[in-house]
Amino acid sequence: MPDPTRDAALDQLARAAYSLSAADSRLRGRATRTPGALSLTHARALRVLADTGPLPIGQLAAATETTGAATTQLVNGLAAAGYVTRERPVDDKRSVLVTLTDTGRRRHHERQTALAQALDTALAHYETPALDTATDVLRQLAAIYDQL
């Protein structure tokens, strides 16, 4: 049975998801034009490397949910900014190991701190269960986008 209220809420969620996607595009644009700016993909890569340590390009691609080619471009930008280094392991000359530099670790920490503060401020009026629900909705949206 159709529920107009639910349909309207789902429509508003879809519109909010489009707005989030547009904001991500704007952020990516700023990251290409503004020194020191990080796109969400750049920030994800720094976070993965901070959490796991050095990784081959293929594993970094999987962890950041991007393609190998996109990750190579991503690493090129991060290396140019001084955030990562690329090294060939002694035992495998075909692969490239990506390592976070001290500068990259500081930049990651700055970004994480800024994000945590922004989230805390903007979402201060939401209780933990609502935040948990929002997290679940965002993960479901990601799964839906992968199916489209």
Side-chain angles (χ1 to χ4, degrees):
M1 179 163 252
D3 180 347
T5 303
R6 180 176 172 77
D7 291 345
L10 289 172
D11 182 61
Q12 288 302 306
L13 178 60
R15 289 172 188 270
Y18 284 139
S19 291
L20 179 60
S21 178
D24 176 49
S25 294
R26 290 188 299 275
L27 179 58
R28 274 186 277 127
R30 283 193 308 277
T32 62
R33 295 185 311 273
T34 308
L38 291 177
S39 70
L40 292 178
T41 306
H42 288 108
R44 265 196 327 269
L46 294 181
R47 183 173 190 157
V48 165
L49 292 169
D51 289 348
T52 66
L55 288 174
I57 292 275
Q59 288 180 20
L60 182 59
T64 58
E65 301 181 58
T66 57
T67 65
T71 302
T72 298
Q73 287 184 316
L74 171 70
V75 168
N76 288 343
L78 292 172
Y83 297 150
V84 300
T85 60
R86 290 176 286 221
E87 300 172 15
R88 295 218 181 266
V90 175
D91 58 339
D92 183 3
K93 297 294 183 189
R94 294 174 295 152
S95 68
V96 173
L97 198 62
V98 181
T99 304
L100 197 60
T101 64
D102 289 340
T103 301
R105 191 169 308 284
R106 279 191 303 276
R107 184 64 180 105
H108 162 67
H109 179 72
E110 290 167 0
R111 175 62 178 266
Q112 285 302 112
T113 300
L115 178 60
Q117 289 173 348
L119 288 169
D120 187 48
T121 299
L123 305 175
H125 59 284
Y126 291 101
E127 299 292 328
T128 301
L131 297 173
D132 291 342
T133 299
T135 299
D136 184 52
V137 168
L138 286 172
R139 288 192 174 124
Q140 291 298 321
L141 282 171
I144 290 166
Y145 281 12
D146 285 339
Q147 295 173 4
L148 294 177

